[in-house]
Amino acid sequence: MDKHYLTPLFAPQSIAVFAGKVDAPDSLTPHARQLHQALRAQRFSGTFQFLDIHTSGTLADLAQARADLAVIALPLQDVAPAIELAGRMACRSVMVISSGISAEQAESLQKVARQAGVHLLGPNCMGLQRPPSQLNASVSGPLAQTGSLALVSQSGALTSSMLDWASNNAVGFSSVVSLGPHPSLDIADVLDFLANDPQTRSIIVYIEGIANARRFMSALRSAANAKPVVILKAGRKPAGNEAAQTHSGSIVGSDDVFDAALRRAGAVRVNSFVQLFSAAKCLASRYRPAGRRLAIITNGGGPGVLAADWVNEIFLQLGKLSPDGAAELKPQLPALASLSDLIDLSEDASPAHYKAAIDAVAKDRQIDGVLAIFSPKADVDSVDVARALAEANRTVGKPLLTCWMGDASVLAGRGVLKEALIPTFRTPEAAVGAFGNIANFAQNQLLLQQTPPPLSTLATPDIEGARLVIESVLTERRKVLTEMESKTLLSSFHIPVTETILARSANEAMMIAMQLGFPVALKIDSPDISHKSDVEGVVLNITNGASARDAYNDMVERVARLQPDARINGVTVQKMARNRRGREIYIGLVTDAPFGPVIVFGAGGTMIELIDDRAMELPPLNQFLARRLIERSRVAETLGEWRGASPVDMEALEQVLLRVSEMVCELPQLREMDINPIIVDESGAVAVDARIVIDSAPQALMGRPNNYNHLAILPYPARYEQQWPLRGGGEYTVRPVHPDDAHMLQDLVQGLSSESRYFRFASAMTELPPSMLARFTLIDYDREMALVAVLKERSANTDGVIVETQRIIGVSRYITNPDQSSCEFSLLVSDDFNGKGLGSRLMESITDVAREKGLSEIDGLVLSNNVTMLKLMRSLGFTVKPFPEDPDFKLVTRAL
């Protein structure tokens, strides 16, 4: 059960091929002919069975055969019978190579596959390649070279093009998967396998759209946590977006939202398939930058300036030597060398000069990476310079990229760099772009590690009051909240708003204005008017009572004329925000297909559409994510000291974002929200106006406020945290795991006896490999759960001071099986806490979570000689029975 459910697809030992009769080539489909050629032109170590569903034998005779994988390339009318036969042959996976199958036909075949109990790759795919196994079950061309790069593509044509490009650029693959439109197994399934595939070190993906945002984000976050994932997405512009949706049959949402999703998942996005390979190659290297500062070493001013321009263009920083570093390097360089911005070695640069410059950059803490540019010179051999860089790279602890400009005269030098595994590019812009991908990957990995809960640590909001406001609006069959209702909703989550009072007559408006104090603003209040300024429903800077009265009458008359069918409740009166040095900010919510609610931040005010400053982030947020969201906006530059104005209260602004995140998490009825403007200055932030659009929550969410199914990323489930007494005294905390637990989890495994480690992992490992440790601590709380038991201990440090430390003393986990109705569990308890009831408590707790998720059965494998564990399982009501696939294990199951 430790094997992935797609192992029979990616690592089959036996393959059944349904592709017509080889001795009747005229009867074969074009795909079948290509498949036969591909299968016969390889050295696959497993076995093939070429079968024909129209053979003279019966289906029962054919079903006597056995195979891990069935590959089908038949006319459409024969595909369903072949899938059924594959199920009878005990195949676990089926691959259908075809094209032009409609969504309705694909759905019918997927139903057949479910009934047959097989995982279906296709039915519009171009097949699969596994070069390490010498398996080419595809019609995408010859078998690719072997490498550590996995390619997943939603386009068969682009798959073939990429393989053709890669063959001429010495790029090898661990897997190549072509999915095509309307797939059964989708990108999420394939990413889930590749995340744990030891033959894959990095993953590149071509994507046009996704079917299920939650599953996609879950698989992508898991994969990107284990290895670099680089994504090329089609449809960056409206025309391409429509074409991608038509071609892939998947949901294609806003491109800006997709960018935000990829950042949050820890992946990197590129814009061409050449960039796709170069980014993957760089990210698979052993170095990770700490920042975005790139030093440029060059022997020509022009190429260096081009590189520096591109550094600014893609929002990197030019890395400069510190004064001490520059002073130490200067005597080692030619007289004409310059170190002011670029490290310009001049035309007299030799291999030794390049090496000295790289050694200096490697030691400088103000620099995160280095680009070495070489332009051909008559008296300098590019090979010698390349060898100097290869030697220097052995001790450089930062990314080293190169640009060998030119063609024929530098080919040999490029070959030396490739042999030394130093990324090399033909243009400065391409090299800088590659470093930008590395830097983005490092930053996105920080976003990936964030697992915020749905509610922040700020004062508890009035969630029930907010729901009552929403229910009252929906009862009236309205979706757009009035300004008063919108501000009430904001206030229930403690977002500061300007005092706003509804006046129902001109005299009321005058008296309210006089009580609030001038100047005031008047705004029309109507459930039928979304944008008040469109009907001239806003008047600002009213300075006396008579003006307030007249403004009321004029506004009501004007609005009634411009929109006669609008229901008018009256006019709101609010005091004008006084601080002239405050910045106008916009915070909003948009609902994307398929990613759901997305939080937006940018410049606000009346020119918001013209400025078009929109930074986006998927909820939930914590303070780290809120700060990064602000930093990505253009208006962020004005939030510090700005033209004589004091810096704004950033903490207040971040708290508004946290409060909006809470609203998005707890109120699934929210569809749109525009808080514009928010006036922020050194004393705080206040919402001046707000517009909120709601709709009924999906039926699946009604009455279940804490499942958060409307979010693409499930929040940290803090509600499962509990305190329990420890047998013999003391207490411990049981809570869901989070990424910060990696060190403590490793300590737990290293502290176990060899027998305990073997009982848990069925291997002689002494510690968790980094990829496994990452996978165990950054989990998707929707499809799996891991509960850790944490004990607080007090001990004296080396100075004799008493300090409190924490350690993990046990962990239980489950992961949902592919049938989505059962799950597999595991349990681990520290040796010094055996016999204290910890294992029973962890198992009961993880079982409760699985039951709450709606799962019907929990099962696991226990080594037959692990008598203590088997005894515990029986005491907890598990049934113990033999495991047919391996007599060394027992299968334990319990209905939930």
Side-chain angles (χ1 to χ4, degrees), residues 557-780:
E557 179 185 349
R558 188 166 54 245
V559 172
R561 184 178 70 254
L562 294 173
Q563 194 164 331
D565 296 331
R567 293 166 291 172
I568 299 176
N569 298 328
V571 172
T572 61
V573 185
Q574 63 187 43
K575 191 171 177 61
M576 293 286 293
R578 277 190 172 274
N579 195 319
R580 296 181 180 177
R581 307 300 294 180
R583 284 63 143 188
E584 292 187 333
I585 299 298
Y586 163 79
I587 294 178
L589 162 73
V590 297
T591 300
D592 177 75
F595 288 102
V598 182
I599 297 171
V600 187
F601 179 91
T606 57
M607 300 182 70
I608 180 172
E609 288 87 0
L610 183 62
I611 298 173
D612 193 26
D613 180 19
R614 286 159 48 100
M616 296 184 173
E617 186 59 84
L618 270 62
L621 302 182
N622 58 16
Q623 190 171 13
F624 178 88
L625 292 169
R627 177 65 63 94
R628 292 295 182 271
L629 176 58
I630 294 170
E631 290 173 350
R632 287 200 299 273
S633 69
R634 295 202 300 273
V635 77
E637 297 180 16
T638 72
L639 301 180
E641 289 189 9
W642 180 256
R643 296 183 177 177
S646 301
V648 305
D649 184 345
M650 288 294 292
E651 185 176 354
L653 193 55
E654 290 167 3
Q655 287 184 4
V656 174
L657 281 169
L658 294 178
R659 291 303 194 182
V660 169
S661 174
E662 292 178 341
M663 293 179 69
V664 174
C665 290
E666 298 298 336
L667 305 175
Q669 299 91 344
L670 296 180
R671 294 296 178 270
E672 299 175 26
M673 179 160 54
D674 297 320
I675 312 175
N676 180 37
I678 296 172
I679 304 297
V680 59
D681 56 24
E682 68 272 16
S683 60
V686 60
V688 176
D689 201 355
R691 173 183 175 271
I692 295 177
V693 179
I694 60 174
D695 203 348
S696 299
Q699 194 64 35
L701 302 181
M702 300 301 291
R704 299 178 62 190
N706 290 325
N707 64 359
Y708 307 107
N709 281 342
H710 61 296
L711 303 178
I713 300 175
L714 198 68
Y716 178 78
R719 66 186 184 278
Y720 294 133
E721 184 170 325
Q722 292 180 300
Q723 301 290 130
W724 293 99
L726 190 62
R727 191 181 299 168
E731 65 176 19
Y732 59 95
T733 302
V734 173
R735 59 163 175 78
V737 73
H738 54 66
D740 292 341
D741 292 328
H743 181 72
M744 288 195 293
L745 187 61
Q746 187 71 281
D747 287 345
L748 170 64
V749 173
Q750 290 175 341
L752 294 172
S753 66
S754 57
E755 182 184 52
S756 296
R757 282 195 295 265
Y758 184 77
F759 280 158
R760 167 59 183 90
F761 302 106
S763 75
M765 69 168 64
T766 57
E767 64 179 16
L768 296 174
S771 59
M772 185 180 292
L773 187 61
R775 178 161 51 90
F776 281 173
T777 52
L778 181 71
I779 67 172
D780 173 41

Side-chain angles (χ1 to χ4, degrees), residues 296 305-318 432:
I296 298 172
V305 172
L306 288 175
D309 283 345
W310 202 247
V311 165
N312 292 324
E313 184 73 22
I314 64 174
F315 305 106
L316 297 173
Q317 298 173 26
L318 190 60
V432 173

Side-chain angles (χ1 to χ4, degrees), residues 89 91 374 384 446 449 533 624 643 664 696 739 747 760 834:
M89 294 173 61
C91 291
F374 176 80
D384 292 338
L446 295 177
Q449 299 299 317
S533 58
F624 178 88
R643 296 183 177 177
V664 174
S696 299
D747 287 345
R760 167 59 183 90
N834 283 328

Side-chain angles (χ1 to χ4, degrees), residues 398-554:
K398 302 171 183 178
L400 170 61
L401 294 86
T402 62
C403 173
W404 254 227
M405 301 191 69
D407 194 18
S409 64
V410 297
L411 286 177
R414 286 188 190 134
V416 172
L417 295 171
K418 288 180 180 179
E419 288 180 9
L421 302 180
I422 299 175
T424 185
F425 302 88
R426 294 176 180 269
T427 66
E429 294 87 350
V432 173
F435 178 79
N437 290 327
I438 300 175
N440 289 338
F441 175 76
Q443 289 197 339
N444 294 352
Q445 286 287 299
L446 295 177
L447 301 182
L448 170 64
Q449 299 299 317
Q450 308 305 309
T451 53
L455 295 177
S456 68
T457 57
L458 302 173
T460 304
D462 183 5
I463 299 173
E464 190 58 36
R467 288 178 180 147
L468 290 174
V469 172
I470 290 175
E471 288 172 9
S472 67
V473 173
L474 291 175
T475 300
E476 297 177 12
R477 297 186 177 181
R478 290 192 289 120
K479 294 184 178 181
V480 181
L481 276 64
T482 65
E483 181 185 0
M484 292 289 289
E485 291 165 338
S486 296
K487 287 185 173 179
T488 300
L489 216 58
L490 298 182
S491 296
S492 66
F493 281 80
H494 306 298
I495 295 175
V497 299
T498 53
E499 184 179 3
T500 304
I501 303 175
L502 178 65
R504 299 185 182 276
S505 69
N507 283 335
E508 272 191 22
M510 179 182 68
M511 290 186 290
I512 292 169
M514 295 174 69
Q515 293 172 27
L516 290 176
F518 297 101
V520 296
L522 267 61
K523 302 177 185 178
I524 198 70
D525 188 87
S526 169
D528 303 316
I529 298 174
S530 299
H531 299 284
K532 295 181 278 290
S533 58
D534 291 348
V535 293
E536 301 179 29
V538 179
V539 179
L540 306 176
N541 289 311
I542 297 173
T543 57
N544 58 63
S547 297
R549 180 194 60 199
D550 295 342
Y552 182 101
N553 288 326
D554 293 344

Side-chain angles (χ1 to χ4, degrees), residues 37 41 61 97 137 210 309 313 326 339 393-394 397 490 493 504 551-552 587 633 647 668 677 743 842 844 865:
Q37 292 173 2
D61 294 333
I97 298 177
I210 61 174
D309 283 345
E313 184 73 22
L339 302 178
N393 190 46
R394 296 171 185 164
L490 298 182
F493 281 80
R504 299 185 182 276
Y552 182 101
I587 294 178
S633 69
H743 181 72
L842 285 170
E844 290 290 3
N865 59 344

Side-chain angles (χ1 to χ4, degrees), residues 120-163:
L120 172 62
L121 180 64
N124 280 304
C125 80
M126 295 293 101
L128 167 81
Q129 292 191 13
R130 284 284 277 181
S133 303
Q134 292 296 298
L135 172 61
N136 182 10
S138 79
V139 293
S140 300
L143 182 66
Q145 300 178 43
T146 299
S148 60
L149 192 60
L151 167 62
V152 188
S153 173
Q154 283 185 330
S155 166
L158 202 57
T159 302
S160 299
S161 300
M162 289 181 178
L163 291 177

